[in-house]
Amino acid sequence: MLGMFGVRACSGMLGFRTVTHVRTLQSFPGITVAQIDEEVAKLLELKARLGGDDGKHQFVLKTAKGTRDYSPKQMAIREKVFNIIINCFKRHGAETIDTPVFELKETLTGKYGEDSKLIYDLKDQGGELLSLRYDLTVPFARYLAMHKITNIKRYHIAKVYRRDNPAMTRGRYREFYQCDFDIAGQYDAMIPDAECLKIVHEILSELDLGDFYIKVNDRRILDGMFAVCGVPDDKFRTICSTVDKLDKVPWEDVKKEMVNEKGLSEEAADQIGAYVSMQGGTDLAERLLQDHKLSQSKQACAGLSDIKLLFSYLQLFQVTDKVVFDLSLARGLDYYTGVIYEAVLTQAGVAPVTSEAQNGPMAEESVSVGSVAGGGRYDGLVGMFDPKGRKVPCVGVSIGIERIFSIMEQKAVASAQKVRTTEVQVMVASAQKNLLEERLKLVTELWNAGIKAEVMHKKNPKLLSQLQHCEESGIPLVAILGEQELKDGVVKLRVVATREEVDISRADLIGEIRRRT
Amino acid sequence: MLGMFGVRACSGMLGFRTVTHVRTLQSFPGITVAQIDEEVAKLLELKARLGGDDGKHQFVLKTAKGTRDYSPKQMAIREKVFNIIINCFKRHGAETIDTPVFELKETLTGKYGEDSKLIYDLKDQGGELLSLRYDLTVPFARYLAMHKITNIKRYHIAKVYRRDNPAMTRGRYREFYQCDFDIAGQYDAMIPDAECLKIVHEILSELDLGDFYIKVNDRRILDGMFAVCGVPDDKFRTICSTVDKLDKVPWEDVKKEMVNEKGLSEEAADQIGAYVSMQGGTDLAERLLQDHKLSQSKQACAGLSDIKLLFSYLQLFQVTDKVVFDLSLARGLDYYTGVIYEAVLTQAGVAPVTSEAQNGPMAEESVSVGSVAGGGRYDGLVGMFDPKGRKVPCVGVSIGIERIFSIMEQKAVASAQKVRTTEVQVMVASAQKNLLEERLKLVTELWNAGIKAEVMHKKNPKLLSQLQHCEESGIPLVAILGEQELKDGVVKLRVVATREEVDISRADLIGEIRRRT
């Protein structure tokens, strides 16, 4: 069995390509370990396809394309980010739920438009046809309809799956976390919508990712705008998708796509162009309500009035400083019916997104440089699942947690600050041989008292290697046992940072460790 | 689109069957909601297969077979259980990692013996062949080999997938959590193994599930025993699987399987029978080391010496009260190479496992009435992934978390204690109309101060419905605003439980809420 796992050194043409590739990397100063890993994985995959030089099957030691392991350091950062986000959700009174990683295939059918091709299907092994979840919103709507829940404020943090072209160095994976907060229920207009924006504001402020702003718009304003600009009804969604590209490509290119690819008249495109360049606050909504053309659309007026109402609540929530009414915001997904929003980081220090990354079908996630949250109102989705079509109005937000992980990891590297991966308070060590039993007795006392403690799994470890382990993993204290200490009924407590040592009586040890950590 | 999701009332023969079925349930006093849900799901699935009365395709509103949603109440219990377990892992200095939900198919190939047929494969949509993880141990071994890690103490809590016959009312699912703690590295014998048992002891004690004991054995003792009893080498694993059934079926049946199905001689079977009836402590290991037959096996002697050493460490860890050396313990998985163990709940209050549940291929999970943890040493698994076959010794334990969830849920129902699903400290309410703005201002103050607070998303909610919401979701305090309070610069703070009300000045409100919650 072992033989088949052998990975041999590269040879022939493949070897040559590896070498030139590495040269390219060396001449590129900002290269990261993750990028190298990604390249190595690609080459190993290629090698496996080539079949090796003896034609035998080669086992490739890797994770599936577009996925990654999380190391303890990454997990420590992930835990920190999750804690901030979950605390915010809990502060706002949210419950949490969980749903299975796969759903019946037909539960997902017809919910994602042309992105459906990115859904992972399970093999038909007899029984039901299943697919991995593509987001958390559709399972949430299925959950509400199935359990007949008409109002809930819930968060859900879980992984979702998209067969997209991964760009892992830019934080884009085939398996990635979504971190969703939604309010379902029949409430008065814009109050839950405003709370979602308040939550985005709180989370991005607490995560301390640098300056940000939140764009808001409304699907009804977009649809009204399309109508008054002369877009045929059946082209609303496809023109909307084109508008969605405005944060990545200049207006000229968007216009070209509208006219050349989508068959819109140049006049209609120009009229849209005038509207989507507008940004402002409640004043802009006010002005557009007076706009002779747009005000002819009832839909647009309803959307504009709600934007005004939304801003009045945002004022009370003290978050208007970061919110911009932006008519170019369109968002990718079909199911939005009202307010939509998206939070964007404005600061440097964010990994640059190249043009290559911007054209993928994952536009939802990589909408713009530094997009870290997005969402909106979707009042029709639950009704698609309910046997009687009963609607449950919903509004929600999804935090782009993978990008936030990437930024936090970069910050951790940049700050050169040590990321602790355990919370151990004290290491039980010995300076002499034959003290394993005494070490195990002492560490048992500490564990039983709830102290986080470690002991080396060796009979006679060297004191130096025990101290080195503390330095490496950031353990602040060492409880050292020796013949003399045992005779005197004390433990030598050493502070790793200062090397200060003090004898503590056995009875006082637990209290002393608690005091010092 | 809505039409196709219509679920019509049952009719004809199916309707009749439903009715009789419900009658049966009514006459059964111990029936649970989960059981009813399971039955309903079965019927709906059947109905979908029948195609409905008009022959049209029927959308079935359900989760995939063998999976379930977690409600907020279940999540609250799950969070409590996880916290206890994670705290224990952290107390022992464990780091955590995460791996993708799917692996390359060949990563899982050849690791699970005949249980491989239970692996979920993904559909070949072009690209790599993938499978959902079956456990966390094989991905962990792949992780160690791939990242060249030779020592780590890690925990991993994640869902795994098995295409088994679900028995959901008994806590057996196709998607279920595993909760693994493992120590990888070259250490002195039995020290990490003993720490794993200490951890099981701590977790089961803290979870307060009733009395339990932990059976231990060693694969080398089993193999040595098979050798001296005359089992042919190539039948060790299959006879071991038969021994594994001893906690569910009487010896006579096990013997029959050995002789009739596996072709063992009656004499050999009887000799095995004598050994596997033995239970004891370090004294039994001592006695068996003197056993004229068993002591002829070097392997058995190595295992017996290690059992003695293990007990000496367990003594220091103060856990021997719960540990039994049991020669009938075999465990299902192929990859164990040394010590194996399994924790069993002895108390009533555990959901009874009927014979139907015990014969499924999920024997690993349902090994006996009340088995809640299991594990052992697997020194060969990492070497199966390493290109050069380098071994990394490993020992670990998996906590049977789904069964623990079931027990905790039953306990919560039995105690009739209210499970809170949010941590909200205070509800901001108003007694009069037109105070939405004031409520939003106040709740913003509270959120900004880190208080967990809720406000109704209605312009003019009734005071009664605001108070009812507090009663239902266990919110302890209500901050009530009215015209008079606003004039006086105070807030009426109401204690929901006692209905006591007291005016608090606006400036003191946050401090007062913190003091009271």
Side-chain angles (χ1 to χ4, degrees), chain A residues 151-198:
Chain A
N151 62 302
I152 188 172
K153 187 193 273 190
R154 83 90 181 77
Y155 69 92
H156 189 187
I157 299 179
K159 287 175 178 173
V160 302
Y161 299 88
R162 300 184 183 182
R163 289 182 57 254
D164 198 357
N165 284 321
M168 301 197 285
T169 48
R170 288 180 291 265
R172 219 175 67 191
Y173 295 88
R174 287 182 161 199
E175 173 186 62
F176 60 97
Y177 268 100
Q178 283 203 337
C179 202
D180 283 18
F181 172 93
D182 294 81
I183 301 173
Q186 191 69 59
Y187 298 115
D188 282 321
M190 294 299 113
I191 310 177
D193 315 59
E195 188 170 358
C196 288
L197 292 173
K198 169 75 174 154

Side-chain angles (χ1 to χ4, degrees), chain B residues 209-227:
Chain B
L209 300 168
D211 206 15
F212 64 91
Y213 64 99
I214 308 171
K215 298 186 272 188
V216 301
N217 197 4
D218 193 298
R219 274 286 166 89
R220 291 166 299 171
I221 299 174
L222 283 165
D223 286 353
M225 177 182 86
F226 294 145

Side-chain angles (χ1 to χ4, degrees), chain A residues 5 57 62 65 69-70 79 90 95 98 106 128 142 147 159 188 195 384 421 457 459, chain B residues 5 57 62 65 69-70 79 90 95 98 106 128 142 147 159 188 195 384 421 457 459:
Chain A
F5 293 116
H57 174 73
K62 67 185 283 292
K65 185 179 177 188
D69 295 320
Y70 284 83
E79 197 177 316
K90 286 189 172 174
E95 306 176 296
D98 197 13
E106 54 185 341
E128 301 161 334
R142 193 267 306 145
H147 301 282
K159 287 175 178 173
D188 282 321
E195 188 170 358
M384 289 174 76
T421 57
H457 292 129
K459 274 189 198 164
Chain B
F5 293 117
H57 173 72
K62 68 185 283 290
K65 184 180 177 188
D69 295 320
Y70 285 84
E79 196 177 316
K90 286 189 173 176
E95 305 176 297
D98 196 12
E106 55 185 340
E128 302 161 333
R142 193 267 307 147
H147 300 284
K159 287 175 178 172
D188 283 321
E195 189 170 358
M384 288 174 78
T421 57
H457 292 130
K459 273 189 197 163

Side-chain angles (χ1 to χ4, degrees), chain B residues 479-506:
Chain B
I480 305 174
L481 288 171
E483 300 291 355
Q484 193 56 48
E485 284 81 8
L486 286 169
K487 236 178 259 165
D488 299 347
V490 300
V491 169
K492 204 177 279 304
L493 197 63
R494 179 185 169 111
V495 180
V496 176
T498 61
R499 300 183 183 188
E500 169 208 349
E501 289 186 349
V502 53
D503 281 355
I504 309 283
S505 86
R506 203 65 182 234

